[in-house]
Amino acid sequence: MTLPQQRPPFVEIHTHICTRVVWCLLTQHNNEQNNLTRVEETYNAFLARYPLCFGYWKKYAEAVQRLGGGQAGAAAVYERSVSGAARRSVHVWQNYCEWHLARAADELRAATSEAARRGVLQRTRERLERAVAAVGLDYSALGVWRLYVDFESRMACSTRATTAVLARALALPLAGHAALWEMFGTHMAQNTLENALPDAEATAYIARKLECPVEEQFRLENHHPAIVSRAQF
């Protein structure tokens, strides 16, 4: 007696009306097969139906990179994730930024010249700007802004750029606004206002400080009126 040949799961799933749970099980099954073509077919079909499943864009990119697509293949997946139906998803953009920041850290360690280092920082900053332009006004975009702040303070090591990004974020009504103020307070406590402010504001601050009494100098050292006024909403 000849048993009927079992059809592949990818064929079987297209013959039935299926739920997202079934699709999730299928992506997990095909990930375990270590077949790049099958993985691409499955994720492409799944994400065409459920493009806002941000975690699966990340799994897709990781699978492509692991199965031979390399960083270029993963980058292409992340680019697709922020260019289609999920382009207004904060979580999709946050995954995009996290991946590119990790790659930028590797590239900076491998950079052999200052020009190469500046190029990495510029490309990364442009990607972060894309992210905040797309979803920075979203109430839940704190995570994206924090990644931008961390990039400027830890990777680019730019005190004034960090202040500028924090000021932009503080002017928005974001969830977790208190955390931004805490970050701002820590940042300003670790740097002098002359170093942290843009040139024009630093010049005005120094001129005012030289002319004011000691009590006013103390108030200026502990507050930044320009940023405070921009953050009122």
Side-chain angles (χ1 to χ4, degrees), residues 20-53:
R20 186 168 63 89
V21 174
V22 177
W23 276 102
C24 293
L25 292 173
L26 180 64
T27 59
Q28 180 180 347
H29 169 80
N30 283 340
N31 272 345
E32 296 169 354
Q33 305 309 305
N34 294 327
N35 184 315
L36 179 58
T37 300
R38 180 59 57 81
V39 165
E40 289 177 334
E41 289 176 347
T42 306
Y43 276 105
N44 286 338
F46 172 70
L47 291 167
R49 292 183 179 224
Y50 305 104
L52 296 180
C53 289

Side-chain angles (χ1 to χ4, degrees), residues 93 96-97 100 118-134 148 151-152:
W93 276 103
Y96 170 93
C97 292
H100 278 292
R118 287 197 301 268
V120 173
L121 294 176
Q122 181 60 29
R123 289 191 297 273
T124 306
R125 189 174 287 113
E126 289 172 356
R127 290 174 177 129
L128 289 164
E129 278 295 328
R130 280 185 66 196
V132 297
Y148 202 166
F151 162 75
E152 293 292 4

Side-chain angles (χ1 to χ4, degrees), residues 2-14:
T2 303
L3 294 176
Q5 184 177 5
Q6 184 179 5
R7 290 186 294 178
F10 190 75
V11 175
E12 186 69 25
I13 201 169
H14 279 282

